[in-house]
Amino acid sequence: MPSCYIIFSKKLNRFYTGATQDSVDVRITKHNNHFYGNSHFTAKASDWELFLYIECNTFNQALKIEKHIKKMKSAQYIKNLKSYPELVTKLKNL
């Protein structure tokens, strides 16, 4: 199922937003094992945990949501997405 996901690293105190067609659990394992290479942002830590999962209808929708969240450049916005589910609903209607 396509999805947009946000993971959090306590070590870095940072969020990472991504989109996938794979299982999110598999994707997080790949991030934690540096599957994407050492030059990738997520390679800076190995303690990534799922913060928010947004199930999408299509992969294109997941990419649009990912792009919007990254464009906001705000940890507070990401926290608000988790606190206010209606914001996620609005995102799905982009």
Side-chain angles (χ1 to χ4, degrees):
M1 175 63 66
S3 63
C4 180
Y5 62 94
I6 301 172
I7 53 180
F8 181 76
S9 166
K10 290 179 186 176
K11 176 184 172 190
L12 300 177
N13 194 32
R14 297 280 305 267
F15 291 101
Y16 175 82
T17 304
T20 186
Q21 297 183 79
D22 298 329
S23 157
V24 174
D25 292 333
V26 169
R27 190 71 172 223
I28 292 170
T29 299
K30 287 181 177 181
H31 284 300
N32 282 328
N33 292 326
H34 312 293
F35 178 82
Y36 301 104
N38 289 327
S39 62
H40 195 272
F41 173 76
T42 58
K44 295 178 182 180
S46 297
D47 66 338
W48 295 103
E49 295 180 354
L50 184 63
F51 181 79
L52 183 64
Y53 172 81
I54 303 170
E55 188 174 306
C56 299
N57 295 322
T58 65
F59 186 58
N60 190 43
Q61 181 186 39
L63 290 172
K64 284 182 181 179
I65 292 171
E66 174 193 20
K67 184 177 180 180
H68 175 79
I69 293 170
K70 286 182 173 182
K71 186 173 81 172
M72 297 304 290
K73 295 184 179 185
S74 170
Q76 187 59 53
Y77 179 74
I78 290 171
K79 291 174 187 175
N80 285 343
L81 287 173
K82 189 168 185 173
S83 298
Y84 303 103
E86 62 272 14
L87 293 176
V88 172
T89 303
K90 287 183 181 180
L91 275 179
K92 288 183 172 187
N93 293 323
L94 286 177

